[in-house]
Amino acid sequence: MTKEATVLFDAPGPRARARNRLLTVVSAVVLLAIFGALAWRFNDRGQFAGELWSPFLKWTVWREMILPGLGSTLKAAAVAAVLAMLFGIVFGLGRLSDHWWVRIPAGAVVEFFRAIPLLILIFLMFFVPNKISPSIADSSFGTFQRVLVDDFFSLFGVEINAGTVIVPAFAAVVFGLVLYNGSVLAEVVRAGVLSIPKGQSEAAYSIGLRKNGVMRLVLLPQAIRVMMPAIVSQLVVLLKDTALGFIIAYSELLNAGFNLIPANYHNNKIQAGIVIAVVYIAINMTVSRFATWLERRSRRSRKTSGTTLGAGTGAPPAPGMSVREQTAGGSGVAPA
């Protein structure tokens, strides 16, 4: 622990530092004892048997089960992340609109989908279209439904057959992730824009910018840097939430770990769970490291992109006066 005082706590003295070191050692011993007890129980139950762990040393297991599941997870997460960001930007800015007929519906959509558990949304996306689409097909909206499915939702594998809309597991997972995480990101966008000091927008309005120009050129570029940690955190949550596709038999990473591998290799669910958890941790740490690098790069470019007036630069020369004359005049030294 640092010896310097901060705004959060006073600098610890000798007795406090000794007590902190003692607590650290005791905590480490307790954690090691817990892990040791778990390892002993695992060994007592035969969970360290080679036949239970050996499947994960085979390339065929990774090629035919784990990597395809990982690919499905990353595919759903990538598509949902892009659409959720678009959803969040549109509805987050919609909640900031000056027009009530935009602001109120946008707020209702965000609050509605943010309040529903993601698992229920995935269920609804998977089962409801199949139930209600025949009734819509027989109504005056039947043509609109067919055009909507054929021209847009077909990109996600959605099909319409004799008026019945069939939503595949991939599309149901993506739509559920977009609606839930997009609603959360909409609140992040709204809070990020509102966190920018009002002086920024007032200065932009004073030079003649309209609201869309103020938002696009002044507020959003600054708000994105403020929102970056929350956005990355939510995208990591989105990636992990793809595991809920397990409930509708989407062939993602968790499905491969807890269905395919244990069914073929001695019912080793614990071992499969540990390996799959390590894969998830590695992916999320990679995403977090990339976000940290991106934030540092943005901060570094922000420091070096502009040149401010200061020492050695001076103010712009007055009309009819050279830079050398103004510099000399400002310093009290007569020009040579």
Side-chain angles (χ1 to χ4, degrees), residues 116-131 167 169 172-173 175-177 244-249:
I116 299 179
L118 176 57
L119 186 60
I120 294 179
L121 282 177
I122 293 176
F123 267 118
L124 292 177
M125 294 299 105
F126 189 66
F127 291 109
V128 169
N130 182 269
K131 301 296 183 182
V167 180
V173 171
F175 296 157
L177 290 172
L244 293 177
F246 171 85
I247 205 68
I248 56 172

Side-chain angles (χ1 to χ4, degrees), residues 97-166:
S97 176
D98 294 332
H99 306 290
W100 68 267
W101 48 270
V102 175
R103 183 176 62 255
I104 293 178
V109 169
V110 169
E111 294 299 331
F112 178 77
F113 288 115
R114 197 161 61 114
I116 299 179
L118 176 57
L119 186 60
I120 294 179
L121 282 177
I122 293 176
F123 267 118
L124 292 177
M125 294 299 105
F126 189 66
F127 291 109
V128 169
N130 182 269
K131 301 296 183 182
I132 67 174
S133 56
S135 300
I136 297 176
D138 294 335
S139 68
S140 57
F141 294 99
T143 302
F144 176 74
Q145 175 180 261
R146 175 171 291 277
V147 171
L148 194 63
V149 171
D150 290 340
D151 294 346
F152 177 71
F153 289 109
S154 60
L155 297 174
F156 304 95
V158 179
E159 299 177 349
I160 184 168
N161 185 12
T164 301
V165 175
I166 302 172

Side-chain angles (χ1 to χ4, degrees), residues 60-105:
T60 55
V61 172
W62 288 85
R63 184 187 62 200
E64 298 176 3
M65 300 180 187
I66 298 179
L67 292 182
L70 177 60
S72 298
T73 292
L74 296 178
K75 179 182 176 182
V79 175
V82 173
L83 296 178
M85 284 298 303
L86 293 176
F87 185 101
I89 292 172
V90 170
F91 283 89
L93 297 181
R95 297 201 68 178
L96 297 173
S97 176
D98 294 332
H99 306 290
W100 68 267
W101 48 270
V102 175
R103 183 176 62 255
I104 293 178

Side-chain angles (χ1 to χ4, degrees), residues 170-190:
F170 167 77
V173 171
V174 168
F175 296 157
L177 290 172
V178 169
L179 293 176
Y180 179 78
N181 292 280
S183 299
V184 175
L185 289 173
E187 286 297 285
V188 172
V189 170
R190 185 176 71 92

